[in-house]
Amino acid sequence: MHKGKVHKFGDDVNTDEIIPARYLNTTDRGELASHCMEDADPRFAKKVKPGDIMVAGKNFGCGSSREHAPIAIKAAGVSCVIAESFARIFSRNSINIGLPIIESPEASERIKNGDIVSVDTVKGSIKNITRKEKYAFEKYPPFMRKIIKAGGLMEKIKRR
Amino acid sequence: MTKKTNSMPYTITEKILLRHTKLKTIHPGEFINAKVDICLGNDITAPFAIEEFEKLNLRDVFDKKKIVLVPDHFAPAKDMKSANQCKILANFAKKHGIKNYFEVGRMGIEHVLLPEMGLVVPGDAVIGADSHTCTYGALGAFSAGVGSTDLAAAYATGECWFKVPESIKFIFSGRLNKWVGGKDLILHTIGDIGVDGALYKAMEFCGPVIEILPMDDRLAMCNMAIEAGGKSGIIAPDKITKKFVKEALTFGKKHGVGQNRRGRFYLSDPGAKYSKVYEYDVRKIEPVVACPNLPSNVRPVKQLKGISINQAVIGSCTNGRISDLRLAARILRGKKVNSAVRLIVIPGTQAVYLQAVREGLAKIFVEAGGVFSTPTCGPCLGGHVGILAEGERAISTTNRNFIGRMGHVKSEVYLSNPAVAAASAIKGRIAHPEEVL
C-alpha cells in the first residue's frame, strides 16, 4: 500500500529528463536523487516528500537504459510511479530494483497534479482520495510478481 | 536447423530465443529465462552492475569470455568521477580475468566496436546495459538493451529474463534515392510509427531494399529500433552478413579477441506471425531530419533549409563507421566549414580512426576546419567533446534529440545522416547535400 501526493508529468518523459547524463559519473544514490527530474522540473527534487507518487502519460522512461533513472526516483522517496504506459528498459529496471510501477491509462488520465492517491498493489486498485474516484489496474504477471516479492532481481538470485 | 524449431512457424527472434532456453516451444508474451552469449557494459552502467554482483560474494563470473566491458561514454575520462567509473571496470576485468575489456587507445564506441571485432555473430542472444544494444540485430542476432541489475544477474547466472516479444515486419521496396541511407529509412519509420510505435516489440526489417543494404546502414537502422520503443531490431542474415562476420572474426583474432564462432543463420518461417506489417516505397523517401525534441519529429531536409546551426556532429554508435565518414568527406572535400559552425567528427573506433587517416578523410575534415576526435560517445549524450550552450543548435548524426540531450536544456539537436550534417556544416544551416556539390 502506497499513499502520497501526486506529481504529474506528460507523455514520453525520457531518461535524460529523469536524470541528465551530466550526473551519470556517479553511483551515489543520494546525489542522483538530488538531481531527479531536473530537466523536466528543476524544483522537483526539493519539493518531493517521502511516499509521494509520480503520475505520467504514455511511454514514461523512454530513452537510455540508465538504471540511474529508477534509482534516482526511488532514492528521492517516490513510493510508486503510475503511467499510461512505460518504456521497456525503464520498466524492467524498475521491477529489478523494486520500484513499483503501475500501468493504468484511466488513472493517468484522471489523476491531477497535487491529488492525494493511495495504491493497493495486492488488490490492483488505485484510490483518488481528493476526487473520490477508484481506478483498477492489471496486477503483475506471476513471473514479475516473484521478482517483486523477493525484493528485486538480485534478492531472487541470492535465494537460488 | 535444430529439431525444436521445426514444429511451428516462428520469426527469427522467436527461433533465437527458443534456442537459448530449454523450452520446446515459445510464444510471444511468455516470460522466459534465456542464456546469453555476450553481456556488455560501459563506464556508466557497469559500475552499478559490478557493485551488485560483488554483493553476491561469488568467486567467479559465469563465463569470463562472454563479458565485454567498454569504457566509451565519458572516456577518455572527462573528469575525476568519470575516471573512477572507468577504473571500476578496469579493476573488475583484472580481478576476473575478463579479456574483453577495451582500454582507451584500443577501445571504441561499444556498438561500433563489438561487430567490428567479431564479438557478436548471427544467432546470438546478446544483452547490453545500454539501450542501443539493439544495434546487433543487423547481424541476425537477438540483441536487447537491459539495465545494470540485469547485467549483474547475468554475470552471476549467464541468463536474463525476457518477455518474448511480438514482431512487427517492416518491408522496404523500390530504389533508394540519392543521399538516402539506412539512417533516413529508420528516421522515416520512427516518424511514421512514433516513439512508442514498436513498444516492447521486435522490429524485423526486410524487403528488396534491405537485402542489398550495406552492413553499416543495417547497423544504423537496428541501432535506432529503441527510438521507436522497440525491444530489438533484426535483419535476416545473408551473404552480406556472412562476409562482414567472416572479416570481423579475422580482425578480432588479429587483435587478440579470438572468437571461434561462426554463428547460426536463422530465417523467419513463411507462416510466422507478426502483430503488424508496414510497407514502405523508398522512392518516396528523401533525406530527412528529426527535429527537436523527439526522434519521431521527422521532416524532409528540404523543408528545414532556413534553420541555422552552431555545431555539426558526425559520429556515434549510429553513424560513426567508415562508410559514414567517407560520405561526410565526399561532401567536405576541398570545402570549408561555415565560420559560425563547429564541426566535430568522431570515428567510432580506433580502426575506423586509422582507416580514416589512411584514406585521407581525417585530412579532409581538418583542412575543412573541423575537429577529428578520438573515439567516444562524447557529445551524443551531453557528456563531453562538444556540449551545447544555452540557445545553441546542432545537427548531429546521433540518435536522440531529447530536451538537453547535448547540453543546456535550451539547446536543440536535429538528427540527420552524415551527408546532410556535412552539407549543413558548410552552409551554416540545415542543408541538402545537393546544395554544396
Side-chain angles (χ1 to χ4, degrees), chain A residues 13-16 59-66 87 89-90, chain B residues 130-132 226-227 400 402 405:
Chain A
V13 172
N14 65 73
T15 53
D16 281 277
N59 202 25
F60 184 83
C62 63
S64 104
S65 70
R66 61 190 71 161
I89 307 177
F90 180 89
Chain B
D130 187 277
S131 61
H132 294 108
I226 179 73
E227 269 33 274
R400 287 193 179 128
F402 298 149
R405 173 76 178 176

Side-chain angles (χ1 to χ4, degrees), chain B residues 388-416:
Chain B
L388 299 175
E390 181 174 358
E392 285 195 323
R393 198 178 287 140
I395 191 154
S396 177
T397 68
T398 53
N399 41 50
R400 287 193 179 128
N401 54 357
F402 298 149
I403 291 168
R405 173 76 178 176
M406 202 176 271
H408 197 278
V409 285
K410 284 182 184 154
S411 62
E412 290 182 335
V413 179
Y414 288 73
L415 307 172
S416 77

Side-chain angles (χ1 to χ4, degrees), chain B residues 10-84:
Chain B
Y10 284 124
T11 64
I12 312 177
T13 303
E14 290 154 4
K15 284 185 188 179
I16 296 172
L17 284 174
L18 179 60
R19 175 79 200 173
H20 287 80
T21 67
K22 287 178 189 150
L23 302 167
K24 290 202 172 66
T25 58
I26 208 165
H27 306 278
E30 181 179 358
F31 286 90
I32 57 164
N33 280 310
K35 286 196 186 314
V36 295
D37 297 298
I38 290 290
C39 41
L40 165 73
N42 59 50
D43 52 317
I44 287 180
T45 59
F48 267 135
I50 291 165
E51 198 182 302
E52 289 299 319
F53 173 79
E54 297 295 13
K55 279 187 206 159
L56 295 174
N57 285 318
L58 296 173
R59 211 170 53 166
D60 292 313
V61 293
F62 83 105
D63 186 343
K64 59 189 178 186
K65 284 190 223 125
K66 293 182 176 174
I67 295 173
V68 183
L69 292 160
V70 188
D72 59 355
H73 278 60
F74 294 161
K78 76 181 176 90
D79 52 31
M80 272 188 278
K81 281 180 169 178
S82 304
N84 191 54

Side-chain angles (χ1 to χ4, degrees), chain A:
Chain A
M1 190 81 153
H2 310 285
K3 189 181 161 190
K5 192 173 155 185
V6 166
H7 301 263
K8 184 97 189 255
F9 295 89
D11 289 341
D12 302 314
V13 172
N14 65 73
T15 53
D16 281 277
E17 291 173 278
I18 299 171
I19 182 78
R22 56 188 177 274
Y23 305 120
L24 298 185
N25 54 6
T26 181
T27 55
D28 184 290
R29 285 159 175 79
E31 199 181 331
L32 293 171
S34 72
H35 299 294
C36 184
M37 304 307 293
E38 191 168 296
D39 284 1
D41 176 3
R43 293 165 305 146
F44 178 81
K46 286 217 171 77
K47 64 186 183 193
V48 67
K49 300 262 181 334
D52 280 1
I53 289 168
M54 282 169 77
V55 179
K58 70 175 179 74
N59 202 25
F60 184 83
C62 63
S64 104
S65 70
R66 61 190 71 161
E67 209 159 294
H68 311 62
I71 287 171
I73 292 173
K74 197 181 173 190
V78 171
S79 62
C80 78
V81 187
I82 301 167
E84 183 185 332
S85 64
F86 289 92
R88 192 196 130 248
I89 307 177
F90 180 89
S91 158
R92 66 181 297 136
N93 284 347
S94 300
I95 288 155
N96 285 345
I97 66 158
L99 170 70
I101 55 165
I102 288 146
E103 236 175 55
S104 169
E106 192 194 1
S108 159
E109 197 198 322
R110 299 285 307 163
I111 298 173
K112 300 281 177 284
N113 195 40
D115 285 1
I116 304 292
V117 161
S118 75
V119 179
D120 189 331
T121 48
V122 182
K123 285 191 188 147
S125 77
I126 302 167
K127 209 188 268 177
N128 189 332
I129 295 160
T130 311
R131 283 170 214 286
K132 300 186 176 60
E133 290 177 349
K134 264 189 181 179
Y135 325 107
F137 63 88
E138 240 176 84
K139 285 186 278 182
Y140 298 113
F143 186 96
M144 283 178 170
R145 224 159 36 219
K146 271 184 207 156
I147 299 175
I148 295 160
K149 215 177 155 193
L153 184 62
M154 295 315 280
E155 289 303 318
K156 190 177 166 227
I157 283 168
K158 266 183 221 165
R159 288 180 197 178
R160 239 165 68 168

